[in-house]
Amino acid sequence: KNEVEQSPQNLTAQEGEFITINCSYSVGISALHWLQQHPGGGIVSLFMLSSGKKKHGRLIATINIQEKHSSLHITASHPRDSAVYICALPDNYGQNFVFGPGTRLSVLP
Amino acid sequence: DGGITQSPKYLFRKEGQNVTLSCEQNLNHDAMYWYRQDPGQGLRLIYYSQIVNDFQKGDIAEGYSVSREKKESFPLTVTSAQKNPTAFYLCASSSWWGGYNEQFFGPGTRLTVL
């Protein structure tokens, strides 16, 4: 089974800081998802990426398929970015998702 | 507005009672999923349905049951056989089944068994 690790587990930043969240996995895949879970519990999909880099506003996601590693960056962080960020990827058979434990981000004003 | 709805947002039940959580989507998606989330843990798959009238067990199906009689609906019943039912339950859907498809999530139901 694909094992997914995220680091750090918890992260506190000051408003405006550049933030990096990491995701590593054990079995090679060709696409990975980044999700955001708001304090109320709802989850939204941020990115699905299979190579290189994707950018959406202040969020940038990168993936290195060979290294089995992905990063999510937030530039000019804001308190509204406070959430749990989860990476998810297909299981060994490409059938269902395997989820990381999440990184809890708090951005202080 | 297209999306997924779950009801209720909070649910309290006495131990030993069955309870059904609702999940409805109007995205015309074939695949639907139920996940359980416990504090500090990743989401775990309970059941999934690739298409109407079909469903499969996920990693932690014991003590749960589902039905998929309509494309837009995928209710989850938490039975009295589930040993630790208190958790946050999330429903999701995707255009079709598979780990390479974006999943859309509902707002979740927080179940507390007293």
Side-chain angles (χ1 to χ4, degrees):
Chain A
K1 185 178 177 180
N2 215 338
E3 301 292 333
V4 186
E5 296 181 350
Q6 288 187 238
S7 63
Q9 192 173 6
N10 295 284
L11 181 56
T12 300
Q14 290 296 129
E15 184 173 355
E17 285 186 5
F18 180 84
I19 288 162
T20 295
I21 297 169
N22 298 298
C23 175
S24 299
Y25 48 93
S26 58
V27 178
I29 47 88
S30 55
L32 177 145
H33 305 255
W34 279 101
L35 311 172
Q36 180 191 53
Q37 185 169 29
H38 293 286
I43 292 178
V44 296
S45 177
L46 298 174
F47 295 103
M48 184 178 84
L49 66 164
S50 55
S51 65
K53 180 167 73 174
K54 279 191 175 180
K55 185 175 189 291
H56 184 243
R58 294 180 295 106
L59 300 178
I60 303 167
T62 63
I63 188 168
N64 185 321
I65 296 292
Q66 287 74 29
E67 297 288 326
K68 300 187 182 64
H69 181 268
S70 177
S71 293
L72 177 68
H73 306 285
I74 305 175
T75 63
S77 60
H78 190 276
R80 65 175 174 266
D81 297 326
S82 298
V84 176
Y85 292 86
I86 301 167
C87 68
L89 42 92
D91 64 19
N92 294 28
Y93 308 102
Q95 295 175 348
N96 289 307
F97 275 16
V98 176
F99 296 86
T103 292
R104 185 174 298 277
L105 171 64
S106 297
V107 181
L108 306 178
Chain B
D1 271 335
I4 301 178
T5 57
Q6 291 185 244
S7 61
K9 190 170 176 64
Y10 299 95
L11 189 55
F12 297 88
R13 278 295 181 269
K14 291 183 179 178
E15 196 172 328
Q17 290 182 332
N18 290 358
V19 59
T20 297
L21 280 59
S22 165
C23 176
E24 304 276 332
Q25 54 98 0
N26 61 3
L27 301 166
N28 200 34
H29 285 171
D30 280 326
M32 297 186 74
Y33 312 82
W34 273 107
Y35 296 100
R36 170 180 172 139
Q37 188 177 38
D38 294 286
Q41 294 190 34
L43 278 72
R44 292 183 290 169
L45 181 64
I46 303 172
Y47 267 97
Y48 64 96
S49 169
Q50 298 177 48
I51 200 164
V52 67
N53 292 322
D54 176 76
F55 51 83
Q56 306 293 332
K57 291 182 180 180
D59 299 322
I60 55 166
E62 185 175 348
Y64 300 96
S65 66
V66 294
S67 62
R68 186 87 187 276
E69 297 175 1
K70 298 188 293 183
K71 186 175 186 177
E72 57 270 23
S73 179
F74 191 40
L76 173 75
T77 296
V78 185
T79 74
S80 56
Q82 168 51 233
K83 292 185 171 54
N84 296 298
T86 294
F88 187 58
Y89 292 88
L90 282 154
C91 178
S93 71
S94 59
S95 299
W96 56 86
W97 175 62
Y100 293 94
N101 299 301
E102 182 181 8
Q103 290 192 10
F104 295 79
F105 290 82
T109 292
R110 194 167 298 277
L111 173 65
T112 302
V113 175
L114 307 171

